[in-house]
Every structure is written in C-alpha cells, then in structure tokens.
Amino acid sequence: MHRLLWLVLAIPVLCHPADISLQTTRHGGSFEVEAVAEFEAEVTLAWEVLTDYGRLSEFIPGMHSSRIVSRSDRRVIVDQSGEARLLFLSFPIQVRLEVEEFPYERVVSRAIEGNFKEFRGAYTLEVRGRRLLLHYTGSLTPDFSIPPLIGTILVRKTVEKRFGAMVDEIMRRQRLRELPVVTPSSGGG
C-alpha cells in the first residue's frame, strides 16, 4: 500500500505536467523576469500556496526564512532571507516586502527594505477551464554586485528554481487533495 501511495505521488512530479516558460533580460544592473506555467489545479488551492508566507522557506530553494511581520486587510509585510547560488558563488538576499493581495487573482509585492535598490513582483492567476495559468513578472535591481557574465544566468536559474518549486508545491497539494480518504474498515467478527 505504501509503495502504491508513493508511486501515485511521485509519477506526476517525475512527469512534471506543468508547461513552464521563463524569460530573463538584463538592463545594466537591473533584471526583468517573466515566468508562466499552465497546469491543473484549483485556483483556491494555488492562492493558499502563494499566500502561505510563513511556510515558503519550507519548499522554496534558497529561501532560509519567510515570516509575516504584520497584516491588515489586503496588505501584508513579510521578511524574507536566503541566497541565490550559482556554482561556487553565493549572493545573500534580505528583503522586507510590502504585499498587496487581490484574492484569487493577483499578489503584488515590492521591497521596502533590504539589499535591493528595487524589487517588484506580481503573481497573477487565471482559470482556464480545469487548468490554471500562473504568471509571474518581476523587476529587480540588487544593491550588491553581480558579475556581468553570470548575472542573467544567476537570476534566471534562481527564478526558475523558485517558480518551479511554487508550481510543484501547488501541484503536490492538489494531488493530496484529490487522494481518496482511506478509513479503517470496521472488523465485526
């Protein structure tokens, strides 16, 4: 039974049924990123994952901590720390985000403190029948030096890993939600 459960949970991850595309461009010391994925998931579940700020570090690579500092109405202040890595290089990331939530449609964030001169990002959700389109756009200007030859690769790989992990977590929770509930049979004798 355990092997069957593992197989049911592992096969979709191995097949990666999400269609993901990613684009990164550099403008001097700034970067623009765009990532898009389309996959089967409920919009409410995707929203739960996107706004699970206190647990993001559990499934986002390179994120060491993520915690809610305050919340009021649709605005949330979130502190995050971690690193972006490429080969043997590591770049620290410290940011306090002001996040504005538009339930089941959009999450918009901007850095208000940290080691970015500018950091803006937005996730949007679009329902397409049984499928969901998750779209991320971001603009960032680090307040630390990234060598020109590796900067675009570093940003691309970091966004690819983190966006992919977000999609994987949404899909993982969707699969868990779809599993049949197994109850012990009552053994009358």
Side-chain angles (χ1 to χ4, degrees):
M1 178 65 177
H2 291 295
R3 288 183 186 169
L4 179 60
L5 180 60
W6 182 87
L7 189 60
V8 167
L9 292 175
I11 286 176
V13 171
L14 298 174
C15 298
H16 211 302
D19 301 320
I20 297 178
S21 66
L22 178 69
Q23 184 176 355
T24 308
T25 55
R26 184 175 188 153
H27 307 283
S30 299
F31 300 89
E32 301 287 327
V33 296
E34 181 175 13
V36 179
E38 188 172 346
F39 51 95
E40 287 190 24
E42 298 170 25
V43 70
T44 54
L45 186 120
W47 182 259
E48 289 172 15
V49 175
L50 289 177
T51 59
D52 196 0
Y53 311 113
R55 294 191 58 227
L56 292 177
S57 61
E58 294 176 21
F59 57 88
I60 300 295
M63 187 175 294
H64 300 162
S65 69
S66 180
R67 69 177 187 87
I68 296 172
V69 175
S70 66
R71 177 184 287 275
S72 63
D73 297 324
R74 295 184 340 202
R75 293 198 188 276
V76 185
I77 304 297
V78 180
D79 279 348
Q80 294 181 338
S81 67
E83 64 183 355
R85 297 186 65 84
L86 184 65
L87 301 173
F88 56 89
L89 300 173
S90 176
F91 300 90
I93 297 173
Q94 298 280 33
V95 66
R96 174 168 282 186
L97 298 172
E98 178 184 55
V99 181
E100 190 170 6
E101 300 175 340
F102 302 88
Y104 311 110
E105 293 178 9
R106 190 169 73 246
V107 177
V108 179
S109 62
R110 70 179 185 91
I112 55 176
E113 289 180 24
N115 60 353
F116 286 89
K117 295 175 187 171
E118 178 191 22
F119 185 102
R120 295 182 182 276
Y123 281 99
T124 57
L125 297 164
E126 180 184 328
V127 177
R128 294 185 168 182
R130 292 191 54 185
R131 295 181 68 79
L132 183 67
L133 183 74
L134 177 62
H135 186 223
Y136 174 78
T137 56
S139 173
L140 57 110
T141 306
D143 200 13
F144 49 88
S145 178
I146 299 176
L149 295 177
I150 67 160
T152 304
I153 296 168
L154 173 72
V155 171
R156 180 181 175 80
K157 290 295 183 190
T158 301
V159 171
E160 184 176 53
K161 287 178 190 173
R162 291 181 175 202
F163 184 78
M166 187 71 76
V167 170
D168 288 345
E169 181 65 10
I170 293 167
M171 292 172 54
R172 184 190 73 79
R173 291 187 194 183
Q174 183 68 44
R175 285 190 307 276
L176 289 175
R177 188 174 279 183
E178 293 170 354
L179 283 176
V181 176
V182 179
T183 57
S185 59
S186 56

